[in-house]
């Protein structure tokens, strides 16, 4: 009987924090925390650093594909904290006379001055 009670308390102490984190939706203290590893919207896509990431994505795509897209703007974006930051951006480009949108994912580690274009795919309107 004593072992059963100890097991009950052990499981309660083990599972309670997991339940609490799930019940709060991954938000600490219930107040708008960030879900670790989740994508978070970028509030200001006209911020210079976000624009720089968008320009980098188009330049890298042009190098890799021998294209000549011209960067116009970042339409919207999200970030994800990983070992660095992933930027998932919708970028507007000019291809000849046509305006086309692409989804670009760029992985950046600022402390290493590292950027990598992970993907660059057309967005269907």
């Amino acid at each position: 009987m004593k072992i059963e009670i100890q097991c009950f308390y052990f499981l309660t102490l083990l599972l309670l924090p997991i339940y609490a984190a799930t019940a709060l939706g991954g938000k600490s203290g219930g107040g708008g925390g960030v879900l670790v590893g989740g994508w978070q919207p970028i509030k200001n896509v006209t911020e210079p650093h976000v624009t720089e990431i968008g320009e980098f994505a188009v330049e890298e795509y042009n190098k890799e594909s021998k294209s000549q897209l011209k960067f116009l703007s970042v339409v919207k974006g999200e970030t994800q904290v990983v070992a660095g930051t992933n930027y998932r951006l919708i970028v507007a480009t000019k291809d000849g006379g046509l305006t086309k949108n692409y989804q670009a994912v760029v992985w950046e580690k600022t402390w290493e001055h590292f950027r990598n274009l992970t993907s660059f795919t057309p967005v269907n309107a």
Side-chain angles (χ1 to χ4, degrees), residues 33-109:
V34 173
L35 179 64
V36 176
W39 289 95
Q40 300 298 316
I42 297 173
K43 292 179 179 143
N44 181 7
V45 294
T46 61
E47 178 182 302
H49 186 72
V50 175
T51 300
E52 186 179 315
I53 298 290
E55 290 172 339
F56 169 83
V58 173
E59 288 170 12
E60 286 300 300
Y61 177 75
N62 283 341
K63 285 182 204 171
E64 293 173 10
S65 67
K66 309 271 190 273
S67 296
Q68 294 185 356
L69 298 177
K70 182 177 184 284
F71 173 82
L72 297 177
S73 67
V74 175
V75 177
K76 72 178 198 175
E78 301 171 299
T79 60
Q80 178 187 43
V81 177
V82 289
T85 304
N86 277 329
Y87 290 84
R88 183 165 57 192
L89 307 176
I90 303 298
V91 293
T93 66
K94 192 79 137 175
D95 186 9
L98 300 173
T99 300
K100 295 182 181 179
N101 287 351
Y102 291 87
Q103 178 177 278
V105 178
V106 175
W107 177 30
E108 180 182 52
K109 294 192 270 186

